[in-house]
Amino acid sequence: MRSIEGLATADLVDAMGQFHRHRCHILDLVSPTPGRVLFGPAVTISYFPSCSAALDPERYNFAKLFYEAVGDEPEAKVVVLASNGYADSSMGGGTKLSRLQVHGCAGVITDGRLRDFDELARYDFAAYCSGEATKWGGDEVTPFQANVPVVLSGVGVMPGQYVFADSSGAVVIPDGQVDDVLAGARAVKDEDAGFREQIATERLGALPGKRDQGER
């Protein structure tokens, strides 16, 4: 099992920058349990504007799309819910998302809202979203496709890629590079610790002429 102990989103974003130039980080997320870290391989559900005439609710609903997304091995998966522009709509609440608890998912992340923060906080999984909702969102959006590439706040997420989220934000990591990125993040932390030790010994009037470009 991959260890993420002691790592933060910023460490992973720095490490990702060693491999890629594309945007991989998501900001301005909130959580009912902000101290809880989310990490695991992504399964995706893409939402679409609701229309019962075009999208039969018997087929396009959270239960069916959830089980289609997680497959036979739901444990430790991160369920990614793409709002597709409906950032103020609820993508789910305590009742729908209890399926993640029952099946041992790592958690849920969405660029839309979630309901029932008090209830979600009692579950074991981590949840990150754009904010808490009070209104049911099913009259605005409905689950539409499972395990397709999605975009979350401008960041592409493909099924199988790894998602890490904490109180500062989230980062999406290609599955084939996750071990290298985790190792790179630990190297970043070690390097920063070295910079802090160096700073602790600096004296006024004897500072280096040029600021170290590696400091973060």
Side-chain angles (χ1 to χ4, degrees), residues 63-158:
K64 285 187 178 294
L65 272 291
F66 170 80
Y67 290 115
E68 186 177 335
V70 300
D72 296 330
E73 298 180 347
E75 189 173 355
K77 298 287 179 63
V78 173
V79 180
V80 178
L81 307 178
S83 73
N84 288 311
Y86 283 76
D88 287 332
S89 297
S90 174
M91 303 294 113
T95 301
K96 288 181 180 178
L97 296 176
S98 66
R99 294 179 177 89
L100 280 73
Q101 176 77 5
V102 170
H103 296 287
C105 295
V108 59
I109 184 171
T110 178
D111 57 349
R113 292 177 179 264
L114 296 175
R115 288 182 59 176
D116 311 322
F117 269 30
D118 286 346
E119 190 172 349
L120 294 178
R122 293 195 291 271
Y123 294 145
D124 296 325
F125 61 80
Y128 285 89
C129 62
S130 68
E132 186 171 9
T134 55
K135 177 182 174 294
W136 174 67
D139 59 339
E140 296 177 322
V141 289
T142 188
F144 180 55
Q145 293 175 303
N147 283 339
V148 295
V150 298
V151 177
L152 230 63
S153 297
V155 176
V157 185
M158 295 187 180

Side-chain angles (χ1 to χ4, degrees), residues 155-178:
V155 176
V157 185
M158 295 187 180
Q161 291 184 328
Y162 276 70
V163 175
F164 179 101
D166 61 16
S167 59
S168 63
V171 57
V172 180
I173 307 167
D175 47 310
Q177 295 177 312
V178 64

